[in-house]
Amino acid sequence: MALQGITVTLFEQQQTGVDAFNRPTYAEVPVEVENVLVAPLSDQEVLDTLNLTGRKAVYQLGIPKEDTHDWENRRVQFFGQVWQVIGIPTEGQSELIPLHWNKKVKVERYG
């Protein structure tokens, strides 16, 4: 049996214009990302993240090697709920990591 992830919706930021102070304004654009692994965090990982960041991580996502989206502090949707990425993705060397995933991020429940 081969590992297969699910399709998640990543909300990217797209510049829509500028405000009265000439600062860029953005809107969220949903993008589907296929083959994302979703794994629940252990109790210890949840506590460690809470102690380090003050945020309660629930899941860890495995991002496919070929993915080029920006995951830093973005919202994602899967399992019928919306989640917030905590921080920046950690990434390993693709050629040294077996299988299809080389990045991971932690997410917390949004709203």
Side-chain angles (χ1 to χ4, degrees):
M1 173 187 259
L3 288 178
Q4 180 66 36
I6 64 170
T7 300
V8 302
T9 302
L10 173 68
F11 294 94
E12 292 189 315
Q13 297 289 320
Q14 184 176 54
Q15 186 172 344
T16 57
V18 293
D19 64 12
F21 298 103
N22 207 29
R23 292 181 300 208
T25 56
Y26 296 93
E28 286 188 327
V29 177
V31 176
E32 288 192 349
V33 181
E34 296 180 0
N35 198 22
V36 176
L37 294 180
V38 178
L41 292 172
S42 70
D43 292 340
Q44 187 60 52
E45 290 173 310
V46 171
L47 288 174
D48 290 345
T49 304
L50 186 60
N51 287 333
L52 290 171
T53 65
R55 299 168 78 179
K56 185 180 179 187
V58 179
Y59 289 105
Q60 182 166 274
L61 307 182
I63 312 301
K65 291 179 181 178
E66 66 274 1
D67 181 73
T68 58
H69 296 98
D70 180 8
W71 289 80
E72 185 174 349
N73 295 316
R74 298 286 190 245
R75 290 187 323 125
V76 294
Q77 184 175 8
F78 58 91
F79 297 159
Q81 297 180 350
V82 179
W83 308 86
Q84 178 71 39
V85 173
I86 299 173
I88 60 174
T90 55
E91 184 173 353
Q93 286 181 267
S94 295
E95 60 276 358
L96 298 178
I97 298 175
L99 302 177
H100 301 284
W101 306 270
N102 70 325
K103 292 180 257 185
K104 58 185 179 177
V105 295
K106 292 179 182 174
V107 296
E108 67 178 339
R109 182 76 169 92
Y110 183 81

